[in-house]
mmCIF file with all atom_site columns, all heavy atoms in Angstrom:
data_model
loop_
_atom_site.group_PDB
_atom_site.id
_atom_site.type_symbol
_atom_site.label_atom_id
_atom_site.label_alt_id
_atom_site.label_comp_id
_atom_site.label_asym_id
_atom_site.label_entity_id
_atom_site.label_seq_id
_atom_site.pdbx_PDB_ins_code
_atom_site.Cartn_x
_atom_site.Cartn_y
_atom_site.Cartn_z
_atom_site.occupancy
_atom_site.B_iso_or_equiv
_atom_site.pdbx_formal_charge
_atom_site.auth_seq_id
_atom_site.auth_comp_id
_atom_site.auth_asym_id
_atom_site.auth_atom_id
_atom_site.pdbx_PDB_model_num
ATOM 1   N N   . PRO A 1 167 ? -88.210 -10.394 70.741 1.00 0.00 ? 167 PRO A N   1
ATOM 2   C CA  . PRO A 1 167 ? -88.560 -9.123  70.013 1.00 0.00 ? 167 PRO A CA  1
ATOM 3   C C   . PRO A 1 167 ? -88.489 -7.899  70.953 1.00 0.00 ? 167 PRO A C   1
ATOM 4   O O   . PRO A 1 167 ? -88.167 -6.763  70.482 1.00 0.00 ? 167 PRO A O   1
ATOM 5   C CB  . PRO A 1 167 ? -89.958 -9.375  69.540 1.00 0.00 ? 167 PRO A CB  1
ATOM 6   C CG  . PRO A 1 167 ? -90.455 -10.484 70.282 1.00 0.00 ? 167 PRO A CG  1
ATOM 7   C CD  . PRO A 1 167 ? -89.285 -11.322 70.580 1.00 0.00 ? 167 PRO A CD  1
ATOM 8   N N   . VAL A 1 168 ? -88.770 -8.030  72.265 1.00 0.00 ? 168 VAL A N   1
ATOM 9   C CA  . VAL A 1 168 ? -88.709 -6.945  73.208 1.00 0.00 ? 168 VAL A CA  1
ATOM 10  C C   . VAL A 1 168 ? -87.278 -6.477  73.312 1.00 0.00 ? 168 VAL A C   1
ATOM 11  O O   . VAL A 1 168 ? -86.952 -5.277  73.243 1.00 0.00 ? 168 VAL A O   1
ATOM 12  C CB  . VAL A 1 168 ? -89.277 -7.350  74.608 1.00 0.00 ? 168 VAL A CB  1
ATOM 13  C CG1 . VAL A 1 168 ? -88.957 -6.242  75.581 1.00 0.00 ? 168 VAL A CG1 1
ATOM 14  C CG2 . VAL A 1 168 ? -90.830 -7.582  74.465 1.00 0.00 ? 168 VAL A CG2 1
ATOM 15  N N   . ALA A 1 169 ? -86.298 -7.461  73.501 1.00 0.00 ? 169 ALA A N   1
ATOM 16  C CA  . ALA A 1 169 ? -84.865 -7.097  73.523 1.00 0.00 ? 169 ALA A CA  1
ATOM 17  C C   . ALA A 1 169 ? -84.405 -6.514  72.230 1.00 0.00 ? 169 ALA A C   1
ATOM 18  O O   . ALA A 1 169 ? -83.583 -5.542  72.213 1.00 0.00 ? 169 ALA A O   1
ATOM 19  C CB  . ALA A 1 169 ? -84.042 -8.307  73.815 1.00 0.00 ? 169 ALA A CB  1
ATOM 20  N N   . SER A 1 170 ? -85.058 -6.879  71.084 1.00 0.00 ? 170 SER A N   1
ATOM 21  C CA  . SER A 1 170 ? -84.702 -6.332  69.799 1.00 0.00 ? 170 SER A CA  1
ATOM 22  C C   . SER A 1 170 ? -85.061 -4.815  69.699 1.00 0.00 ? 170 SER A C   1
ATOM 23  O O   . SER A 1 170 ? -84.310 -3.997  69.137 1.00 0.00 ? 170 SER A O   1
ATOM 24  C CB  . SER A 1 170 ? -85.293 -7.100  68.718 1.00 0.00 ? 170 SER A CB  1
ATOM 25  O OG  . SER A 1 170 ? -84.917 -8.423  68.704 1.00 0.00 ? 170 SER A OG  1
ATOM 26  N N   . VAL A 1 171 ? -86.275 -4.508  70.260 1.00 0.00 ? 171 VAL A N   1
ATOM 27  C CA  . VAL A 1 171 ? -86.635 -3.191  70.243 1.00 0.00 ? 171 VAL A CA  1
ATOM 28  C C   . VAL A 1 171 ? -85.786 -2.289  71.126 1.00 0.00 ? 171 VAL A C   1
ATOM 29  O O   . VAL A 1 171 ? -85.465 -1.187  70.797 1.00 0.00 ? 171 VAL A O   1
ATOM 30  C CB  . VAL A 1 171 ? -88.214 -2.996  70.737 1.00 0.00 ? 171 VAL A CB  1
ATOM 31  C CG1 . VAL A 1 171 ? -88.579 -1.585  70.983 1.00 0.00 ? 171 VAL A CG1 1
ATOM 32  C CG2 . VAL A 1 171 ? -89.064 -3.706  69.787 1.00 0.00 ? 171 VAL A CG2 1
ATOM 33  N N   . LEU A 1 172 ? -85.382 -2.800  72.320 1.00 0.00 ? 172 LEU A N   1
ATOM 34  C CA  . LEU A 1 172 ? -84.462 -2.112  73.163 1.00 0.00 ? 172 LEU A CA  1
ATOM 35  C C   . LEU A 1 172 ? -83.111 -1.930  72.490 1.00 0.00 ? 172 LEU A C   1
ATOM 36  O O   . LEU A 1 172 ? -82.492 -0.853  72.745 1.00 0.00 ? 172 LEU A O   1
ATOM 37  C CB  . LEU A 1 172 ? -84.268 -2.815  74.510 1.00 0.00 ? 172 LEU A CB  1
ATOM 38  C CG  . LEU A 1 172 ? -85.526 -2.986  75.389 1.00 0.00 ? 172 LEU A CG  1
ATOM 39  C CD1 . LEU A 1 172 ? -85.205 -3.719  76.667 1.00 0.00 ? 172 LEU A CD1 1
ATOM 40  C CD2 . LEU A 1 172 ? -86.222 -1.643  75.689 1.00 0.00 ? 172 LEU A CD2 1
ATOM 41  N N   . THR A 1 173 ? -82.723 -2.821  71.647 1.00 0.00 ? 173 THR A N   1
ATOM 42  C CA  . THR A 1 173 ? -81.472 -2.651  70.885 1.00 0.00 ? 173 THR A CA  1
ATOM 43  C C   . THR A 1 173 ? -81.593 -1.479  69.848 1.00 0.00 ? 173 THR A C   1
ATOM 44  O O   . THR A 1 173 ? -80.651 -0.736  69.662 1.00 0.00 ? 173 THR A O   1
ATOM 45  C CB  . THR A 1 173 ? -81.113 -3.954  70.186 1.00 0.00 ? 173 THR A CB  1
ATOM 46  O OG1 . THR A 1 173 ? -81.067 -5.015  71.091 1.00 0.00 ? 173 THR A OG1 1
ATOM 47  C CG2 . THR A 1 173 ? -79.788 -3.838  69.452 1.00 0.00 ? 173 THR A CG2 1
ATOM 48  N N   . TYR A 1 174 ? -82.768 -1.447  69.289 1.00 0.00 ? 174 TYR A N   1
ATOM 49  C CA  . TYR A 1 174 ? -83.094 -0.267  68.394 1.00 0.00 ? 174 TYR A CA  1
ATOM 50  C C   . TYR A 1 174 ? -83.077 1.034   69.141 1.00 0.00 ? 174 TYR A C   1
ATOM 51  O O   . TYR A 1 174 ? -82.598 2.046   68.616 1.00 0.00 ? 174 TYR A O   1
ATOM 52  C CB  . TYR A 1 174 ? -84.445 -0.588  67.762 1.00 0.00 ? 174 TYR A CB  1
ATOM 53  C CG  . TYR A 1 174 ? -84.966 0.599   66.917 1.00 0.00 ? 174 TYR A CG  1
ATOM 54  C CD1 . TYR A 1 174 ? -84.379 0.859   65.669 1.00 0.00 ? 174 TYR A CD1 1
ATOM 55  C CD2 . TYR A 1 174 ? -86.058 1.299   67.299 1.00 0.00 ? 174 TYR A CD2 1
ATOM 56  C CE1 . TYR A 1 174 ? -84.828 1.941   64.864 1.00 0.00 ? 174 TYR A CE1 1
ATOM 57  C CE2 . TYR A 1 174 ? -86.577 2.371   66.532 1.00 0.00 ? 174 TYR A CE2 1
ATOM 58  C CZ  . TYR A 1 174 ? -85.925 2.709   65.305 1.00 0.00 ? 174 TYR A CZ  1
ATOM 59  O OH  . TYR A 1 174 ? -86.406 3.658   64.566 1.00 0.00 ? 174 TYR A OH  1
ATOM 60  N N   . ASP A 1 175 ? -83.542 0.971   70.352 1.00 0.00 ? 175 ASP A N   1
ATOM 61  C CA  . ASP A 1 175 ? -83.519 2.220   71.125 1.00 0.00 ? 175 ASP A CA  1
ATOM 62  C C   . ASP A 1 175 ? -82.103 2.641   71.431 1.00 0.00 ? 175 ASP A C   1
ATOM 63  O O   . ASP A 1 175 ? -81.728 3.863   71.459 1.00 0.00 ? 175 ASP A O   1
ATOM 64  C CB  . ASP A 1 175 ? -84.204 1.959   72.440 1.00 0.00 ? 175 ASP A CB  1
ATOM 65  C CG  . ASP A 1 175 ? -85.751 1.789   72.306 1.00 0.00 ? 175 ASP A CG  1
ATOM 66  O OD1 . ASP A 1 175 ? -86.265 2.306   71.315 1.00 0.00 ? 175 ASP A OD1 1
ATOM 67  O OD2 . ASP A 1 175 ? -86.409 1.230   73.142 1.00 0.00 ? 175 ASP A OD2 1
ATOM 68  N N   . VAL A 1 176 ? -81.244 1.697   71.617 1.00 0.00 ? 176 VAL A N   1
ATOM 69  C CA  . VAL A 1 176 ? -79.756 2.022   71.829 1.00 0.00 ? 176 VAL A CA  1
ATOM 70  C C   . VAL A 1 176 ? -79.207 2.673   70.620 1.00 0.00 ? 176 VAL A C   1
ATOM 71  O O   . VAL A 1 176 ? -78.429 3.689   70.724 1.00 0.00 ? 176 VAL A O   1
ATOM 72  C CB  . VAL A 1 176 ? -78.980 0.727   72.216 1.00 0.00 ? 176 VAL A CB  1
ATOM 73  C CG1 . VAL A 1 176 ? -77.533 1.025   72.259 1.00 0.00 ? 176 VAL A CG1 1
ATOM 74  C CG2 . VAL A 1 176 ? -79.458 0.246   73.539 1.00 0.00 ? 176 VAL A CG2 1
ATOM 75  N N   . ALA A 1 177 ? -79.557 2.156   69.384 1.00 0.00 ? 177 ALA A N   1
ATOM 76  C CA  . ALA A 1 177 ? -79.052 2.841   68.236 1.00 0.00 ? 177 ALA A CA  1
ATOM 77  C C   . ALA A 1 177 ? -79.530 4.281   68.109 1.00 0.00 ? 177 ALA A C   1
ATOM 78  O O   . ALA A 1 177 ? -78.751 5.137   67.742 1.00 0.00 ? 177 ALA A O   1
ATOM 79  C CB  . ALA A 1 177 ? -79.474 1.997   67.002 1.00 0.00 ? 177 ALA A CB  1
ATOM 80  N N   . LEU A 1 178 ? -80.784 4.514   68.528 1.00 0.00 ? 178 LEU A N   1
ATOM 81  C CA  . LEU A 1 178 ? -81.345 5.831   68.464 1.00 0.00 ? 178 LEU A CA  1
ATOM 82  C C   . LEU A 1 178 ? -80.632 6.758   69.435 1.00 0.00 ? 178 LEU A C   1
ATOM 83  O O   . LEU A 1 178 ? -80.681 8.007   69.303 1.00 0.00 ? 178 LEU A O   1
ATOM 84  C CB  . LEU A 1 178 ? -82.897 5.865   68.658 1.00 0.00 ? 178 LEU A CB  1
ATOM 85  C CG  . LEU A 1 178 ? -83.705 5.108   67.649 1.00 0.00 ? 178 LEU A CG  1
ATOM 86  C CD1 . LEU A 1 178 ? -85.229 5.220   68.022 1.00 0.00 ? 178 LEU A CD1 1
ATOM 87  C CD2 . LEU A 1 178 ? -83.513 5.733   66.186 1.00 0.00 ? 178 LEU A CD2 1
ATOM 88  N N   . GLY A 1 179 ? -80.046 6.203   70.502 1.00 0.00 ? 179 GLY A N   1
ATOM 89  C CA  . GLY A 1 179 ? -79.420 6.939   71.503 1.00 0.00 ? 179 GLY A CA  1
ATOM 90  C C   . GLY A 1 179 ? -78.111 7.545   71.051 1.00 0.00 ? 179 GLY A C   1
ATOM 91  O O   . GLY A 1 179 ? -77.573 8.431   71.792 1.00 0.00 ? 179 GLY A O   1
ATOM 92  N N   . PHE A 1 180 ? -77.637 7.121   69.897 1.00 0.00 ? 180 PHE A N   1
ATOM 93  C CA  . PHE A 1 180 ? -76.395 7.782   69.362 1.00 0.00 ? 180 PHE A CA  1
ATOM 94  C C   . PHE A 1 180 ? -76.781 8.894   68.415 1.00 0.00 ? 180 PHE A C   1
ATOM 95  O O   . PHE A 1 180 ? -76.276 9.024   67.327 1.00 0.00 ? 180 PHE A O   1
ATOM 96  C CB  . PHE A 1 180 ? -75.617 6.700   68.618 1.00 0.00 ? 180 PHE A CB  1
ATOM 97  C CG  . PHE A 1 180 ? -74.920 5.745   69.602 1.00 0.00 ? 180 PHE A CG  1
ATOM 98  C CD1 . PHE A 1 180 ? -75.511 4.614   70.046 1.00 0.00 ? 180 PHE A CD1 1
ATOM 99  C CD2 . PHE A 1 180 ? -73.612 6.044   70.138 1.00 0.00 ? 180 PHE A CD2 1
ATOM 100 C CE1 . PHE A 1 180 ? -74.890 3.795   70.945 1.00 0.00 ? 180 PHE A CE1 1
ATOM 101 C CE2 . PHE A 1 180 ? -72.932 5.197   70.960 1.00 0.00 ? 180 PHE A CE2 1
ATOM 102 C CZ  . PHE A 1 180 ? -73.582 4.003   71.390 1.00 0.00 ? 180 PHE A CZ  1
ATOM 103 N N   . ARG A 1 181 ? -77.563 9.753   68.935 1.00 0.00 ? 181 ARG A N   1
ATOM 104 C CA  . ARG A 1 181 ? -78.026 10.991  68.255 1.00 0.00 ? 181 ARG A CA  1
ATOM 105 C C   . ARG A 1 181 ? -77.968 12.107  69.303 1.00 0.00 ? 181 ARG A C   1
ATOM 106 O O   . ARG A 1 181 ? -77.939 11.888  70.544 1.00 0.00 ? 181 ARG A O   1
ATOM 107 C CB  . ARG A 1 181 ? -79.436 10.866  67.672 1.00 0.00 ? 181 ARG A CB  1
ATOM 108 C CG  . ARG A 1 181 ? -79.688 9.704   66.719 1.00 0.00 ? 181 ARG A CG  1
ATOM 109 C CD  . ARG A 1 181 ? -81.076 9.621   66.243 1.00 0.00 ? 181 ARG A CD  1
ATOM 110 N NE  . ARG A 1 181 ? -81.938 9.563   67.307 1.00 0.00 ? 181 ARG A NE  1
ATOM 111 C CZ  . ARG A 1 181 ? -83.297 9.658   67.281 1.00 0.00 ? 181 ARG A CZ  1
ATOM 112 N NH1 . ARG A 1 181 ? -83.830 9.859   66.037 1.00 0.00 ? 181 ARG A NH1 1
ATOM 113 N NH2 . ARG A 1 181 ? -84.083 9.496   68.278 1.00 0.00 ? 181 ARG A NH2 1
ATOM 114 N N   . ASP A 1 182 ? -78.202 13.315  68.885 1.00 0.00 ? 182 ASP A N   1
ATOM 115 C CA  . ASP A 1 182 ? -78.315 14.401  69.780 1.00 0.00 ? 182 ASP A CA  1
ATOM 116 C C   . ASP A 1 182 ? -79.843 14.637  69.984 1.00 0.00 ? 182 ASP A C   1
ATOM 117 O O   . ASP A 1 182 ? -80.714 13.987  69.368 1.00 0.00 ? 182 ASP A O   1
ATOM 118 C CB  . ASP A 1 182 ? -77.610 15.650  69.247 1.00 0.00 ? 182 ASP A CB  1
ATOM 119 C CG  . ASP A 1 182 ? -78.203 16.242  67.968 1.00 0.00 ? 182 ASP A CG  1
ATOM 120 O OD1 . ASP A 1 182 ? -79.305 15.786  67.614 1.00 0.00 ? 182 ASP A OD1 1
ATOM 121 O OD2 . ASP A 1 182 ? -77.529 17.055  67.371 1.00 0.00 ? 182 ASP A OD2 1
#
Side-chain angles (χ1 to χ4, degrees):
V168 171
S170 300
V171 172
L172 296 182
T173 305
Y174 174 70
D175 293 336
V176 171
L178 295 181
F180 286 87
R181 304 178 303 171
D182 64 14

